[in-house]
Amino acid sequence: MKFNHRHVLSMEQFSAADIHAVLDTAENFLELNSREIKKVPTLRGRAVINFFFEPSTRTRTSFEIAGKRLSADMLNLSGSSSSVVKGESLVDTALTLRSMNPDIVVVRHSHAGAPHLMARHVGAHVINAGDGQHQHPTQGLLDLMTVRQRFGQIEGLKVAIVGDILHSRVARSDLIGFQKCGAEVWLCGPPTLLPPEFARFGARMTYNLEEALTGAHVIILLRVQAERMNSAFFPTAREYSQRYGLNSEKLKWARKDAVVMHPGPMNRGVEIDPSVADGAHSLILRQVENGVSVRAALMMMLLGGGDRPRGDA
Amino acid sequence: MLLIENAHVVDPAGQLDGVRSIEVDRGRIRRVLKSPPPAQERAEYGEIINASGMHLFPGFLDLRTFAGEPGYEYKESFATVSRAAAAGGFTGVAVVPWVRPVTDSAPMVRDVLKLAAAHSVVEVYPIAGATLGLKGETMTEAADLRSAGAVALSDGGRPVQNTLLLRRILEYAKTWGLTVFLTPRDPDLSRGALVSEGEVSARLGMRGDPAASEEIAVARYIALAELTGARVHIEPISTAGAIRQLRQALKRELPVTAAVTAHHAVLSERDAEDFDTNARLNPPLRSPKDRDAMQKALSDGTIAAVVSDHSPQSSVEKQVSFEEAEPGSAGLETVFGAVMDLVHHKVIDLPAAAGLLCTGPARVLGIKPNMIAEGEKANLCLARINADWTVRAQDFASKGRNSVFEGRPMKGKILLTLCNGKVVWHGDS
């Protein structure tokens, strides 16, 4: 399977076949995790820059581990998303990076489209590690991987994405990815956080959690940002939690074998009750583990390294 | 003396639409001839331009030009903006007050006119702020602004929130015959918006500007126009809902006019999906349905004028993320091509196109429109309406290198522009 992508910017760019190819490659990496020596020389001598313009520990670390397991030279840079604070434009930043000749630049930025702009100027492969409220393709892929592992397939599953859809890049990536792989995607949240336009993308929409969860195989909960709680998207965190938070009782609306996922970090007690987060249905930690494999797979496929980690360190 | 021979003259004010030859002498149109002068008289002309196959229009008037001076010389200046205007067929530009310092007092109006007199190759009409510093708090001295040369007042792109203050501004401006330019936007609904609210905003995860923001503001302004009887000019409009309300208001003969930008007349949000900061505009590009409503309103006279909304930005302001980019497109040099697009697609005819660029804008300001008739000022532009070209902002006469039309093919180009008889633009023909 040929991987015909120079950059990883959005789930929109992938076909279902692309997605399964990435997941197959990622599965090959899982075994590496259980080895005593968790390193292969596949990307030895290659330089990967992790450029995070907004704070992130989880995603940045995940990329870093992925790169290091492939023996790439990892460089972590952080900065402000604001050009005013930085004193240089994003294009200038890209040109500066370009002169360092990196092979891959991983970009996290609080503005939609920033990785696209970087991709036009940086002269390296760009992986979007989250751009504003637009896309988070590696999260989408790791969610797909986690679901495929559990159910053996994605096609035909009912997937409910619950919470702040409006502001969520994860929701946008998951919606596209799961639909491309043949799942039926339901979006659920309060009307202020679930714009009606999403119906045009083929998703089923409901403001009623029970309707979303009934018969669901997969429940993906989204984080409610603290700042949303204070800007009249809903009256109180308490009311949100009552209507849209998931607890063990409401989980019974879903299938018996339903799985619960969350991109993290969680607000325990708001969108997810601790009993669910830590319960038997939760795949939240599995998601984190799969994240490293998916990111390693993408780095390798972008650099034409084949579909399995070769050799020993 | 100059002779422009066998041009197809399109003069909406004089209702002329036919082949004529025009004599220009000492800044004025000396004669308009049905056929070229006989051979023995040709020696009298210093220059003869054979314009057969070309169209001659009265010089265009733009209602929304950011001139950069004073204060933003790195973005634009009178020298550059006026050449950009001339390249676009404009012989007059109404310049917006949001420069630094803001044009909100008589001395500032005089300062603008002084800069223009020294550096501009086209006529400059200052628009003054309706409130001090465009802060929406304190009325400016409208009478004094008028005597200093201001042609209109403007809220400066920032709607006056206090409706009582706005009422007083309108009542007062009416006394002095000043049109008041109002921005159709509800600041709360539009706060932080980057694109139009709808499918594109949902997909790109960028905050959307709902059409309701514009519609609420238009309803407010129409009600105040009726209450005060003042001349209210709403620009730039972009939504089908605004058009519906305008139609009603015009049917009731309220003193309301509206303008649309050239880009909102031909482009839609579909043209802004790849995070190109050139498409970061205020208001944002709307849905194809809204764009079609603009075209309908242009064809039936609901919209009085097409404006450039000339907003040149330096690369510093566009080579950033879409969210951080300053809104605007350097528009003066692409208005004609965009309007000709409407003509070629039979949305409007040539006289209507000329009306939207000449008589309409003059009517908004309450000034005499340019005409192609004996004794009139020789404010003219000569165009080849079928000339193909591609927009390359790097070739602009403006300092602005930002064009929402960048890379797009256009059909229709200005070849020659005369302002008061002087050649201010000579394009390659």
mmCIF file of all heavy atoms in Angstrom, chain A residues 181-197:
data_model
loop_
_atom_site.group_PDB
_atom_site.id
_atom_site.type_symbol
_atom_site.label_atom_id
_atom_site.label_comp_id
_atom_site.label_asym_id
_atom_site.label_seq_id
_atom_site.Cartn_x
_atom_site.Cartn_y
_atom_site.Cartn_z
ATOM 1 N N CYS A 181 -14.687 5.252 7.629
ATOM 2 C CA CYS A 181 -14.512 3.816 7.837
ATOM 3 C C CYS A 181 -15.846 3.108 8.001
ATOM 4 O O CYS A 181 -15.893 1.936 8.403
ATOM 5 C CB CYS A 181 -13.625 3.584 9.054
ATOM 6 S SG CYS A 181 -11.936 4.121 8.765
ATOM 7 N N GLY A 182 -16.927 3.803 7.762
ATOM 8 C CA GLY A 182 -18.221 3.121 7.690
ATOM 9 C C GLY A 182 -19.019 3.069 8.982
ATOM 10 O O GLY A 182 -20.004 2.328 9.075
ATOM 11 N N ALA A 183 -18.603 3.817 9.999
ATOM 12 C CA ALA A 183 -19.379 3.833 11.244
ATOM 13 C C ALA A 183 -20.532 4.828 11.121
ATOM 14 O O ALA A 183 -20.512 5.727 10.284
ATOM 15 C CB ALA A 183 -18.478 4.213 12.424
ATOM 16 N N GLU A 184 -21.524 4.654 11.982
ATOM 17 C CA GLU A 184 -22.609 5.632 12.062
ATOM 18 C C GLU A 184 -22.296 6.561 13.229
ATOM 19 O O GLU A 184 -22.202 6.123 14.375
ATOM 20 C CB GLU A 184 -23.933 4.905 12.310
ATOM 21 C CG GLU A 184 -25.113 5.842 12.467
ATOM 22 C CD GLU A 184 -26.398 5.086 12.828
ATOM 23 O OE1 GLU A 184 -26.950 4.422 11.944
ATOM 24 O OE2 GLU A 184 -26.829 5.162 13.990
ATOM 25 N N VAL A 185 -22.082 7.833 12.924
ATOM 26 C CA VAL A 185 -21.632 8.760 13.962
ATOM 27 C C VAL A 185 -22.794 9.616 14.455
ATOM 28 O O VAL A 185 -23.525 10.215 13.655
ATOM 29 C CB VAL A 185 -20.503 9.671 13.446
ATOM 30 C CG1 VAL A 185 -20.054 10.640 14.535
ATOM 31 C CG2 VAL A 185 -19.323 8.836 12.957
ATOM 32 N N TRP A 186 -22.954 9.636 15.756
ATOM 33 C CA TRP A 186 -23.936 10.512 16.394
ATOM 34 C C TRP A 186 -23.202 11.604 17.163
ATOM 35 O O TRP A 186 -22.226 11.332 17.855
ATOM 36 C CB TRP A 186 -24.807 9.712 17.370
ATOM 37 C CG TRP A 186 -25.827 8.864 16.688
ATOM 38 C CD1 TRP A 186 -25.589 7.766 15.900
ATOM 39 C CD2 TRP A 186 -27.244 9.047 16.727
ATOM 40 N NE1 TRP A 186 -26.773 7.259 15.438
ATOM 41 C CE2 TRP A 186 -27.809 8.027 15.931
ATOM 42 C CE3 TRP A 186 -28.086 9.965 17.346
ATOM 43 C CZ2 TRP A 186 -29.192 7.907 15.748
ATOM 44 C CZ3 TRP A 186 -29.460 9.843 17.170
ATOM 45 C CH2 TRP A 186 -30.008 8.826 16.368
ATOM 46 N N LEU A 187 -23.699 12.820 17.048
ATOM 47 C CA LEU A 187 -23.137 13.923 17.823
ATOM 48 C C LEU A 187 -24.181 14.342 18.845
ATOM 49 O O LEU A 187 -25.367 14.470 18.524
ATOM 50 C CB LEU A 187 -22.805 15.109 16.912
ATOM 51 C CG LEU A 187 -21.811 14.838 15.785
ATOM 52 C CD1 LEU A 187 -21.640 16.085 14.914
ATOM 53 C CD2 LEU A 187 -20.467 14.403 16.343
ATOM 54 N N CYS A 188 -23.728 14.566 20.062
ATOM 55 C CA CYS A 188 -24.671 14.925 21.113
ATOM 56 C C CYS A 188 -24.052 15.978 22.023
ATOM 57 O O CYS A 188 -22.896 15.865 22.424
ATOM 58 C CB CYS A 188 -25.027 13.677 21.923
ATOM 59 S SG CYS A 188 -26.112 14.015 23.317
ATOM 60 N N GLY A 189 -24.836 16.982 22.338
ATOM 61 C CA GLY A 189 -24.375 18.017 23.260
ATOM 62 C C GLY A 189 -25.473 19.041 23.406
ATOM 63 O O GLY A 189 -26.502 18.963 22.714
ATOM 64 N N PRO A 190 -25.265 20.025 24.276
ATOM 65 C CA PRO A 190 -26.260 21.096 24.381
ATOM 66 C C PRO A 190 -26.274 21.911 23.085
ATOM 67 O O PRO A 190 -25.246 21.994 22.401
ATOM 68 C CB PRO A 190 -25.770 21.920 25.568
ATOM 69 C CG PRO A 190 -24.326 21.600 25.704
ATOM 70 C CD PRO A 190 -24.139 20.213 25.193
ATOM 71 N N PRO A 191 -27.415 22.487 22.729
ATOM 72 C CA PRO A 191 -27.532 23.185 21.431
ATOM 73 C C PRO A 191 -26.500 24.293 21.234
ATOM 74 O O PRO A 191 -26.104 24.564 20.096
ATOM 75 C CB PRO A 191 -28.948 23.761 21.450
ATOM 76 C CG PRO A 191 -29.535 23.436 22.763
ATOM 77 C CD PRO A 191 -28.680 22.447 23.464
ATOM 78 N N THR A 192 -26.043 24.901 22.305
ATOM 79 C CA THR A 192 -25.041 25.974 22.167
ATOM 80 C C THR A 192 -23.686 25.431 21.731
ATOM 81 O O THR A 192 -22.834 26.177 21.257
ATOM 82 C CB THR A 192 -24.854 26.708 23.502
ATOM 83 O OG1 THR A 192 -24.757 25.720 24.542
ATOM 84 C CG2 THR A 192 -26.023 27.635 23.791
ATOM 85 N N LEU A 193 -23.477 24.131 21.916
ATOM 86 C CA LEU A 193 -22.177 23.537 21.583
ATOM 87 C C LEU A 193 -22.285 22.535 20.441
ATOM 88 O O LEU A 193 -21.335 21.806 20.148
ATOM 89 C CB LEU A 193 -21.584 22.850 22.830
ATOM 90 C CG LEU A 193 -21.262 23.796 23.986
ATOM 91 C CD1 LEU A 193 -20.831 23.010 25.220
ATOM 92 C CD2 LEU A 193 -20.171 24.797 23.604
ATOM 93 N N LEU A 194 -23.442 22.501 19.798
ATOM 94 C CA LEU A 194 -23.663 21.550 18.707
ATOM 95 C C LEU A 194 -24.319 22.287 17.537
ATOM 96 O O LEU A 194 -25.531 22.301 17.400
ATOM 97 C CB LEU A 194 -24.558 20.398 19.207
ATOM 98 C CG LEU A 194 -24.915 19.294 18.216
ATOM 99 C CD1 LEU A 194 -23.690 18.737 17.528
ATOM 100 C CD2 LEU A 194 -25.667 18.176 18.933
ATOM 101 N N PRO A 195 -23.508 22.955 16.712
ATOM 102 C CA PRO A 195 -24.090 23.757 15.633
ATOM 103 C C PRO A 195 -24.821 22.884 14.612
ATOM 104 O O PRO A 195 -24.334 21.800 14.273
ATOM 105 C CB PRO A 195 -22.877 24.428 14.973
ATOM 106 C CG PRO A 195 -21.680 23.970 15.707
ATOM 107 C CD PRO A 195 -22.052 22.930 16.694
ATOM 108 N N PRO A 196 -25.973 23.325 14.162
ATOM 109 C CA PRO A 196 -26.793 22.513 13.251
ATOM 110 C C PRO A 196 -26.075 22.170 11.946
ATOM 111 O O PRO A 196 -26.401 21.177 11.309
ATOM 112 C CB PRO A 196 -28.019 23.396 12.983
ATOM 113 C CG PRO A 196 -27.659 24.764 13.442
ATOM 114 C CD PRO A 196 -26.608 24.604 14.492
ATOM 115 N N GLU A 197 -25.057 22.981 11.573
ATOM 116 C CA GLU A 197 -24.354 22.729 10.303
ATOM 117 C C GLU A 197 -23.692 21.352 10.268
ATOM 118 O O GLU A 197 -23.419 20.818 9.205
ATOM 119 C CB GLU A 197 -23.279 23.787 10.053
ATOM 120 C CG GLU A 197 -23.805 25.142 9.674
ATOM 121 C CD GLU A 197 -24.303 25.925 10.865
ATOM 122 O OE1 GLU A 197 -23.941 25.562 12.015
ATOM 123 O OE2 GLU A 197 -25.066 26.888 10.662
#
